[in-house]
Amino acid sequence: MGDSDHSSDPSVRLEELIDESVKVKRRAYCPYSKFPVGAAVLGCDGRIYTGCNVECAVYPLTMCAERNAITKAVSEGCKKFTAVVITSDLKNSIITPCGACRQIIAEFGMDAEVYMTKSDRSYTKLTLRELLPLGFGPDSLQEEKIIVNGAPIPTIQQ
Ligand code: THU
């Protein structure tokens, strides 16, 4: 195994990431939408974590491919990512992450590159910062808050 096998540089691992994303897409559980999606996340640890969409008869409980891949990575101990590759069966359009997935990816860093592919493996690459401008994130919670009479504004207690 060469050094590039453990690289966290997406440009070195891109073909592999697309392959893994296409492979996991075959495991999609999408009987309702019939719209399989695969995602492969490259961790700063150089490991690739994959996920497919998993739907539910209670439709809103559906889990997107990207969120599945991210939650798998986090539960395996990896919380920093350099890239997320997304694949679908769309012939003429790239697959773009939904708003909820952008928010979840943003939770772990705005600099991750998102590769939104077409079925011919061509792609558009944008960073999370570009995909979620003015996003609310972990830093937002830490910003200075208004103080009234030396204390934060109390919430209404029932
Ligand atoms: N879906 C994803 O998994 N990722 C995306 O980027 C867009 C949409 C899934 C959710 C649902 O199972 C199906 O695609 C149709 O919305």
Side-chain angles (χ1 to χ4, degrees):
M1 236 192 242
D3 273 355
S4 65
D5 294 321
H6 287 118
S7 173
S8 60
D9 177 352
S11 63
V12 177
R13 307 286 299 275
L14 195 55
E15 292 307 314
E16 193 186 347
L17 284 161
I18 296 174
D19 285 345
E20 291 299 317
S21 178
V22 167
K23 213 192 294 172
V24 72
K25 173 163 62 67
R26 294 193 204 118
R27 300 209 187 101
Y29 175 74
C30 52
Y32 308 109
S33 72
K34 304 200 169 29
F35 191 91
V37 182
V41 168
L42 181 59
C44 286
D45 57 2
R47 285 179 63 190
I48 293 174
Y49 302 89
T50 59
C52 59
N53 51 333
V54 179
E55 297 184 346
C56 179
V58 179
Y59 296 172
L61 297 183
T62 289
M63 181 61 72
C64 289
E66 301 90 314
R67 264 179 293 159
N68 248 342
I70 295 276
T71 52
K72 268 167 80 176
V74 173
S75 50
E76 299 275 316
C78 176
K79 292 199 261 312
K80 285 202 171 120
F81 313 108
T82 55
V84 180
V85 172
I86 318 167
T87 56
S88 79
D89 291 338
L90 290 175
K91 192 174 175 193
N92 298 313
S93 308
I94 56 168
I95 174 77
T96 58
C98 77
C101 286
R102 293 176 199 209
Q103 189 70 48
I104 293 290
I105 302 167
E107 180 70 21
F108 301 100
M110 299 299 281
D111 296 320
E113 293 177 341
V114 181
Y115 292 80
M116 300 166 284
T117 71
K118 249 188 239 180
S119 50
D120 65 0
R121 295 171 78 97
S122 62
Y123 59 83
T124 298
K125 174 179 75 167
L126 289 174
T127 65
L128 224 284
R129 204 177 301 286
E130 292 168 314
L131 283 169
L132 194 64
L134 298 178
F136 184 95
D139 294 346
S140 312
L141 292 171
Q142 304 307 324
E143 280 169 27
E144 192 179 357
K145 299 177 190 76
I146 49 175
I147 301 283
V148 175
N149 295 331
I153 296 182
T155 50
I156 297 167
Q157 305 297 321
Q158 300 293 343

